[in-house]
C-alpha cells in the first residue's frame, strides 16, 4: 500500500484497516519495554496504546514480552505480572487493560441507528490463573456499556478467544477526535463492579454490572496474564489477525505519543549534532521548533526527560534551556511544538538564527 494513499492524521482509515484496535500485536513500545511497581492510577507502562488503570489492586510489572502463541506469526505480547498480592479486595478495587478509540474512527459502525453493526473481538491470552474474565466496551459519549465473559480453561496455555457484541441502536457517537469507545480487559474487580448482573446487552452503564464473575488476578504473586493478537472488527465472525508493516503501525501509534531526542540515537552524541533550529528573541532568549510527524491527535502534553538542560546555543558559552518553559505552541493539531531557551549568551540579535544541541529526550503525549 503506497504511503501516499494513507491519511496523514494518524493513519486511521477504516476502509484499509479493519482492526479498530491499534498495536494489537504489541509490537510497538515507544515508552520502554517494562515498568515495575505499578499500584494505582493510569499507566502506559509498556506497549503503545494499551493502558493499565487500577485502584487498590496490588502491585504489578507491565512489560513487553517475547512469550507468544506458537505458529501464529506474533513476536511480542503484553505481560502483566503481580508482584505484591491483594487477596482481600476492597469494594472499589479494580484493574483493567484498556484502549481508547476516537469517535471519528467509529462512524462506520453506525452506532445509534437501526443499521448498527455487530462487533467481533478476538485475541490470544494466557495465564496461570484459570476461570472467568470479562471484556467490556464502554460508550463514553452516551454512558452506555456492554460486557461479555470469556474463560481461561488451561493454565499457562495460549488460548484464542472470540467474543461477538451486538450492534447498539441507541446513542450515536460523536464525530470528533475525542474518546468515544473504551475497550477493557478486566483483571481485578471489587464488589462495586460485581454485585449486579453482567450487562451482556447494551444498556446505560451501571458499575455493579460491569465485571460480574471476574476472577481476582491479584490474589497471588505467582499470577501472570498475557495478551497479543487483539482485534476488534465489524461483523459476527473473527478474521485472521490483520498484520501491518512496522512503519505503518508505528505511525499510527505516534498520533497519540511520540518522542524526540539525541539520547534515542544509537550513535554517541557530539557537540556538532544539531537538535533544533530557531531564532533569538532577545539578547538571552531563543524560540525553537520541533516538527512532529504525523500530526498528533490533539495539542500534546510536552515534557523533558534526561539531560535536557544541557542543550546549548551555537556558541561555546551558550546557556541552558529553561525546562519550565517547554510547551506546545497552543494550537491543537499543529506539527510543531515550541520551547524556549533562556540564559543564552548575551549579545544575541533579535531574529538571529541559532541552533541548539545536546543530549535530551522530549515526549509529546496526546493519548485519549
Amino acid at each position: 500500500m503506497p504511503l501516499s494513499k494513507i491519511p496523514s492524521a494518524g493513519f486511521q482509515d477504516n476502509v484499509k484497516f479493519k482492526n479498530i484496535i491499534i498495536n494489537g500485536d504489541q509490537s510497538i513500545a515507544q515508552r520502554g519495554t517494562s515498568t515495575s511497581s505499578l499500584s494505582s492510577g493510569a499507566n502506559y507502562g509498556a506497549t503503545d496504546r494499551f493502558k493499565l488503570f487500577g485502584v487498590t489492586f496490588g502491585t504489578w510489572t507491565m512489560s513487553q514480552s517475547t512469550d507468544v502463541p506458537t505458529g501464529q506469526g506474533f513476536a511480542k505480547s503484553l505481560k502483566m505480572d503481580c508482584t505484591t498480592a491483594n487477596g482481600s479486595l476492597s469494594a472499589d478495587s479494580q484493574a483493567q487493560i484498556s484502549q481508547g478509540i476516537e469517535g471519528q474512527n467509529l462512524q462506520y459502525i453506525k452506532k445509534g441507528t437501526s443499521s448498527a453493526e455487530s462487533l467481533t473481538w478476538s485475541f490470544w491470552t494466557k495465564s496461570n490463573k484459570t476461570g472467568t474474565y470479562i471484556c467490556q466496551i464502554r460508550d463514553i459519549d452516551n454512558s452506555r456499556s456492554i460486557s461479555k465473559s470469556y474463560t481461561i480453561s488451561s493454565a499457562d496455555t495460549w488460548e484464542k478467544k472470540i467474543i461477538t457484541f451486538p450492534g447498539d441502536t441507541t446513542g450515536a457517537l460523536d464525530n470528533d477526535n475525542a474518546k468515544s469507545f473504551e475497550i477493557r480487559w478486566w483483571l481485578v474487580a471489587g464488589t462495586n463492579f460485581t454485585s449486579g448482573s453482567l450487562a451482556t446487552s447494551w444498556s446505560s452503564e451501571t458499575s455493579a454490572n460491569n465485571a460480574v464473575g471476574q476472577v481476582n488476578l491479584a490474589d497471588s504473586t505467582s499470577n501472570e496474564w498475557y495478551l497479543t493478537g487483539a482485534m476488534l472488527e465489524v461483523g459476527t465472525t473473527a478474521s485472521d489477525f490483520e498484520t501491518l508493516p512496522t512503519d505503518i503501525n508505528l505511525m499510527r501509534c505516534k498520533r497519540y505519543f511520540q518522542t524526540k531526542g539525541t539520547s534515542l540515537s544509537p550513535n554517541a552524541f557530539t557537540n556538532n549534532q544539531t537538535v533544533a533550529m530557531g531564532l533569538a528573541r532577545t539578547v538571552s532568549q531563543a524560540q525553537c521548533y520541533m516538527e512532529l510527524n504525523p500530526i498528533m491527535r490533539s495539542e500534546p502534553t510536552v515534557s523533558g526527560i534526561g539531560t535536557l538542560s544541557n542543550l546549548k546555543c551555537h556558541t561555546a558559552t551558550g546557556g541552558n534551556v529553561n525546562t519550565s518553559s517547554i510547551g506546545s505552541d497552543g494550537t491543537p493539531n499543529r506539527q510543531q511544538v515550541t520551547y524556549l531557551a533562556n540564559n543564552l549568551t548575551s549579545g544575541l540579535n533579535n531574529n538571529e538564527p541559532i541552533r541548539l544541541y545536546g543530549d535530551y529526550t522530549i515526549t509529546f503525549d496526546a493519548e485519549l
Side-chain angles (χ1 to χ4, degrees), residues 7 87 110 115 133 179 190 201 294 334:
K110 310 181 191 75
S115 302
Y133 292 73
K179 180 167 64 175
S201 299
R334 290 288 297 273

Side-chain angles (χ1 to χ4, degrees), residues 280-286 341-350 352:
R281 292 307 185 194
T282 69
V283 295
S284 62
Q285 186 180 87
N342 294 328
N343 304 317
L344 298 176
T345 304
S346 60
L348 293 177
N349 298 315
N350 190 34
E352 177 185 359

Side-chain angles (χ1 to χ4, degrees), residues 25 65-77 126 158 226 228:
D25 63 357
S65 172
T66 57
D67 189 337
V68 294
T70 302
Q72 299 301 320
F74 302 115
K76 303 290 185 180
S77 65
K126 183 177 84 165
W158 280 101
Y226 294 82
T228 195

Side-chain angles (χ1 to χ4, degrees), residues 20 51 65 112 170 192 339 353 356:
I20 295 171
K51 177 176 69 177
S65 172
T170 300
N192 284 352
Y339 64 92
L356 303 179

Side-chain angles (χ1 to χ4, degrees), residues 36-41 43 52-60 84 94:
S36 60
S37 302
L38 299 174
S39 60
S40 64
N43 297 275
L52 168 67
F53 178 80
V55 175
T56 58
F57 67 116
T59 305
W60 295 76
T84 301
Q94 58 179 301

Side-chain angles (χ1 to χ4, degrees), residues 21 42 49-55 92-101 121 123 133-140 144-150 163 165 179 181-189 192-193 198 202 205-211 214 225 227 230 232:
I21 296 172
R49 305 274 18 256
F50 285 81
K51 177 176 69 177
L52 168 67
F53 178 80
V55 175
D92 64 346
S93 291
Q94 58 179 301
Q96 316 101 24
I97 299 296
S98 67
Q99 184 169 132
I101 304 165
W121 189 346
F123 54 93
Y133 292 73
I134 303 299
C135 282
Q136 180 186 18
I137 302 177
R138 300 180 66 222
D139 170 0
I140 307 300
R144 291 174 64 77
S145 174
I146 186 171
S147 297
K148 298 277 190 176
S149 65
Y150 68 94
I163 308 169
F165 296 80
K179 180 167 64 175
F181 263 17
E182 182 181 71
I183 60 170
R184 290 176 165 182
W185 288 264
W186 281 82
L187 305 178
V188 174
N192 284 352
F193 311 100
L198 191 66
W202 281 102
E205 184 171 8
T206 301
S207 294
N209 301 337
N210 284 351
Q214 171 66 43
W225 181 85
L227 173 71
L232 183 66

Side-chain angles (χ1 to χ4, degrees), residues 286-318:
Q287 187 174 45
C288 299
Y289 294 86
M290 290 186 177
E291 183 177 355
L292 301 177
N293 183 34
I295 298 173
M296 301 193 75
R297 178 189 66 84
S298 63
E299 180 184 352
T301 299
V302 186
S303 59
I305 298 176
T307 55
L308 179 63
S309 61
N310 287 341
L311 282 168
K312 302 294 185 181
C313 183
H314 66 295
T315 59
T317 56

Side-chain angles (χ1 to χ4, degrees), residues 101-129:
I101 304 165
E102 296 176 52
Q104 63 188 2
N105 296 328
L106 293 167
Q107 297 302 302
Y108 73 112
I109 73 172
K110 310 181 191 75
K111 190 177 182 299
T113 75
S114 59
S115 302
E117 300 277 5
S118 297
L119 296 172
T120 295
W121 189 346
S122 57
F123 54 93
W124 287 85
T125 189
K126 183 177 84 165
S127 177
N128 64 292
K129 188 173 182 66

